[in-house]
Structures are given as C-alpha cells and as structure tokens.
Amino acid sequence: MSVHHPDYTDLIRETPTDFSVHSRVYTDPAIFAAEMHNLFENGWCYVAHESEIEKPGDFRTSAIGRIPVIVSRGDDNQVYVNINACRHRGTLVCREERGNTRYFTCPYHGWSYHKDGKLNHITDRDNFPDGWGEDITGLIAAERVAVYRGMIFASFNKDVPEIEQYLGPLKTYVDYWFDHALNGTVKVLKPWRATYQGNWKYQLENSTDGWHARYVHISALKTISHYGTYASNTGWSGCTRGFDGGHGILERPRTDIPPDLQPDFEQFRLALCTHYGEERGNRMFVRRHITLFPNIQLMEFKLRVIQPVSVDRTIVYEFPVELEGTDAVFNKAIRTRLLKEISISSGSPVSGMVNADDVEIYARNQSGLASGQMEWIRLARGIHREVEERKHEWSGQDMDELPQRAIYREWARRMK
C-alpha cells in the first residue's frame, strides 16, 4: 500500500525582505507527528552525555522525539542506544532515570536483556514452540550512534550524515564551549526540569532570541538593577549567527557577571589565554547560546535539552556542567553563577526568576495561535542585513531573528 507524505514546505515563506511561518507549524498534531519522524528519528538527536554513563552497566533513560530509549555502556565499554520497550509486549523495560545494572529486566513477564540490549533470557521457554523467539536478538537498537565532545547522538536513519558534517562550521563554536574545560572535557550534573504548555519550537527559538529580554524580563531586569548586579540590557553588543542545518548562536560579551564573581571570572579569562593563547582565549571567553538542531542548546555552563511531549506540551531539562581539569575556584564561581537568583537569564535555572517569564510567554503564544485565525507569524527582523561570513554560516546583529530563520529553513528542507 502506498503512503502519502504531505509536503509542508508551503508553510514557510521567504522573500529577500520577509520571512513568515504558518501558525499550523505550532498547533497541528499531524505536523507534530511528522516532525518527530523527520526531524528527530530520521536525523541526529542528542540523547545523553558520556559522563552520565562512565562505567559498564551505567545507563540513562532518554528519548528520540517521542520514542523512549535507554542509553547504556556495555561490558565492552561502548555506548548503546536501544528502544526502551520489551520485545514481548512492548512494556517499558526501565523506569529509572539513571543507574547501574547487570541486566535490564521487564517488570511484566521477566524477560531480560544485557547491558548492550541483547536478549539475555525469555522466561518459561518450555511453554513456547521449539525454536520460538530465535529471531528476537534483543531490544531494538538505534541505526546510528555517534559521540562528539562527550555528547551522545542517535538516529534511526542509517544514512544520516557523519556527525561532523551535521555540525558543519558550528563545530568551531561547540569546541570553544567545551574548551572552557582546560582538559577539554566536562562532567554533566543532575538536571533541573520544567514543563510548559506550548510547542517545543518556542524554546528552540527563544534561547537565541536577543530581542525579547527587554520586554519579557523587564521585572527581572529591574530587580537586578535594584540590587546592583546589572545596570541595563540596553546597548548590549554582540551578534547572531545562523547555519545550514538549523543551528544558531546568540553571542554577547560576558558583561553580566555579578560583581562579587568578576575577579574570579577575570582570572578564568587569563587562564584560558595562558592555556590557548591570548587570541583564542579571548575569542572563547564570550557568552554564547548555541543551538544544535533540533533538541540541544549549549548555554552558559549548562546543557539545555528540549523534550517534545505533544504539539502543545514540552519538557525542558537543564544540566549544569563541571569543567574538568580546571581550577576548583573557577568551578565554584560557575556554580554560584548558575544558582544565583539575582542574575541574568544565562545564569538562573530553568525554574528560576528569569526563565519563568519565558515559559509564560510560550503558553501565551500557544493560546494566541490556537484558533488558527491568525495564519502567519513574521520573523523578518534583520533579514536585509544577513552576511555570509563563511560557507554555510551567516551573521547578523544581536537582536536579529537570523537564528530563527535558520531553524525554519532547515525545517522546510527536512519536512519536504
């Protein structure tokens, strides 16, 4: 039987002076289902970090779109990604978020699987025909698994491009982010989490949106100003970047460090310059929000992971990181920065003072578009001044909607 695959590319309109996205992109359950297949299952999707599964038997449950998966380290020390569903009746094999195990055992009828997902045991074999189950090798494995800088990606598409091709020129900025650790590796700590009533792409867009803070976060900014930790967001310098592949960056100087932490951060900058050379060290010491399409964002010393649940419900995880091979003084300053409530958005947790404003806006967006009467949203700010800095990379001013346009150019390509 033939299957009809809708072409959703007419939902994105672009001219040299305008860029529009149809509201169905945020509200249509059929489009959401297609996104889960085309963008998440069929491309690279971030599922975990290597530091979460350091030893054989370590595991973490995660998801590729709406497919639950187990990310584990086998006895051979390799990383495995398998669908978290027993081959007998489809029951979730593992309910724990993380841990260490000898076997994964289904709670329904006791079937068990090795650390790498291979079948270990079918209970009551005597009650099945001779040879039954020989075709069941284990849990269903992802077609491809790749690791870059400790980030574990998986895909159910065997023809997905190599991971460095997927990153393209964004790789330079990803390396900057990880190289803040003087030995090049980070440890991911336990996450904060928040749920909001809105489409997953609102969070994807917002982390590289430099325009909204002066309006959405006005109360937080006034509080910050009152306590003397930051004067104003007006006049911030920086830029936005957009990349083929849907990736994007919001880039600004680190001018928002609380005064009590500024001496430690200045010493940190000098340490980077000593380790990497002054030019690279200063180039690295910039506050960047980096989006890796479709579901991970490298924020200020934390990983933000976007987990779609339904067309109008999303979970956001934020994993603080510890910089390995780096002076404990700097890590302490970073922890204080992340946990300090009177700080700008790159510092506070996902459930903190600033980000609470964002999830309120996402819910308002979803409510505003729910009727379908307003068909098009507009993402044209700065479209007339995009500059191609190098192949597959464009730059704009710090409040331009360039990263958002990059998202939907890739969205249109992949949803074709």
Side-chain angles (χ1 to χ4, degrees):
M1 183 177 69
S2 63
V3 178
H4 173 64
H5 297 282
D7 184 348
Y8 294 114
T9 55
D10 61 349
L11 300 179
I12 310 297
R13 292 179 178 175
E14 179 173 12
T15 71
T17 59
D18 198 14
F19 195 102
S20 302
V21 176
H22 199 282
S23 63
R24 284 181 56 206
V25 165
Y26 302 94
T27 61
D28 188 332
I31 291 176
F32 176 82
E35 289 174 336
M36 295 304 98
H37 176 72
N38 293 353
L39 308 183
F40 284 78
E41 300 165 29
N42 226 21
W44 286 118
C45 181
Y46 174 86
V47 291
H49 189 270
E50 278 197 304
S51 63
E52 298 177 275
I53 53 165
E54 294 180 319
K55 305 183 300 297
D58 284 354
F59 68 87
R60 198 202 124 184
T61 50
S62 185
I64 299 176
R66 289 187 295 180
I67 298 176
V69 297
I70 303 171
V71 185
S72 60
R73 193 171 292 277
D75 289 327
D76 58 1
N77 211 38
Q78 297 299 305
V79 175
Y80 294 89
V81 180
N82 294 285
I83 295 180
N84 188 3
C86 182
R87 297 301 302 278
H88 177 212
R89 301 276 283 274
T91 309
L92 282 179
V93 173
C94 183
R95 297 284 295 188
E96 298 296 323
E97 189 173 81
R98 64 191 70 237
N100 184 279
T101 190
R102 290 181 62 199
Y103 300 102
F104 296 105
T105 302
C106 178
Y108 199 178
H109 297 94
W111 289 32
S112 63
Y113 304 86
H114 291 284
K115 302 176 184 74
D116 60 4
K118 290 187 173 63
L119 181 66
N120 175 58
H121 180 63
I122 295 177
T123 53
D124 298 335
R125 277 272 197 179
D126 294 344
N127 291 295
F128 294 93
D130 290 343
W132 186 90
E134 291 179 355
D135 60 323
I136 304 173
T137 58
L139 300 174
I140 297 174
E143 289 281 355
R144 297 280 302 277
V145 177
V147 180
Y148 187 78
R149 301 304 297 259
M151 297 183 292
I152 302 169
F153 297 86
S155 178
F156 288 105
N157 175 10
K158 64 182 176 59
D159 297 320
V160 72
E162 296 302 318
I163 195 69
E164 294 204 5
Q165 183 181 347
Y166 154 77
L167 292 172
L170 186 76
K171 176 179 175 294
T172 297
Y173 303 96
V174 172
D175 289 342
Y176 286 164
W177 193 90
F178 280 97
D179 284 344
H180 279 76
L182 296 184
N183 71 354
T185 59
V186 304
K187 181 178 181 180
V188 170
L189 308 179
K190 288 186 178 180
W192 301 297
R193 57 180 60 78
T195 301
Y196 68 84
Q197 300 302 314
N199 191 269
W200 65 278
K201 295 185 293 299
Y202 296 136
Q203 182 65 75
L204 191 71
E205 298 170 21
N206 194 67
S207 292
T208 52
D209 183 325
W211 192 9
H212 76 283
R214 61 179 60 192
Y215 306 105
V216 175
H217 303 310
I218 185 64
S219 176
L221 291 167
K222 285 180 178 178
T223 303
I224 291 166
S225 179
H226 176 77
Y227 283 95
T229 58
Y230 195 75
S232 169
N233 72 328
T234 304
W236 282 348
S237 58
C239 71
T240 50
R241 300 182 188 277
F243 301 81
D244 280 355
H247 314 308
I249 295 176
L250 172 61
E251 183 175 298
R252 281 173 170 157
R254 284 198 174 114
T255 55
D256 63 337
I257 304 298
D260 54 315
L261 298 179
Q262 286 176 3
D264 291 335
F265 271 83
E266 175 59 16
Q267 288 301 310
F268 185 27
R269 184 190 67 80
L270 293 173
L272 293 174
C273 289
T274 299
H275 190 80
Y276 296 107
E278 188 168 354
E279 182 182 353
R280 180 177 173 84
N282 284 324
R283 201 159 53 233
M284 288 171 56
F285 198 72
V286 170
R287 181 162 60 91
R288 291 186 177 93
H289 295 183
I290 305 172
T291 291
L292 287 74
F293 186 87
N295 73 322
I296 178 172
Q297 297 175 317
L298 306 180
M299 306 293 285
E300 182 84 328
F301 306 114
K302 63 191 176 187
L303 303 178
R304 177 175 284 170
V305 180
I306 303 168
Q307 175 57 56
V309 178
S310 64
V311 71
D312 58 359
R313 186 166 181 264
T314 306
I315 302 172
V316 182
Y317 297 89
E318 285 192 352
F319 296 81
V321 300
E322 182 177 289
L323 307 181
E324 298 194 334
T326 304
D327 195 307
V329 171
F330 304 148
N331 275 307
K332 182 180 178 182
I334 288 166
R335 282 195 301 274
T336 303
R337 167 123 170 77
L338 289 176
L339 295 170
K340 194 177 181 70
E341 281 297 307
I342 307 300
S343 180
I344 198 61
S345 59
S346 57
S348 58
V350 70
S351 56
M353 178 182 70
V354 173
N355 288 284
D357 298 333
D358 291 322
V359 297
E360 168 67 15
I361 286 295
Y362 306 156
R364 289 188 180 206
N365 288 350
Q366 198 72 31
S367 297
L369 297 178
S371 70
Q373 294 301 306
M374 199 193 92
E375 292 188 297
W376 296 95
I377 69 160
R378 316 297 280 273
L379 296 170
R381 178 166 177 148
I383 194 170
H384 59 297
R385 55 179 171 241
E386 292 183 13
V387 176
E388 188 170 8
E389 284 200 2
R390 53 179 171 160
K391 193 174 182 181
H392 308 303
E393 176 183 346
W394 289 260
S395 66
Q397 294 183 7
D398 65 328
M399 296 188 191
D400 288 350
E401 293 169 319
L402 171 57
Q404 293 72 34
R405 291 191 290 273
I407 288 169
Y408 288 106
R409 286 166 181 151
E410 179 67 5
W411 188 95
R413 187 185 73 83
R414 297 268 294 276
M415 292 290 282
K416 185 177 288 186

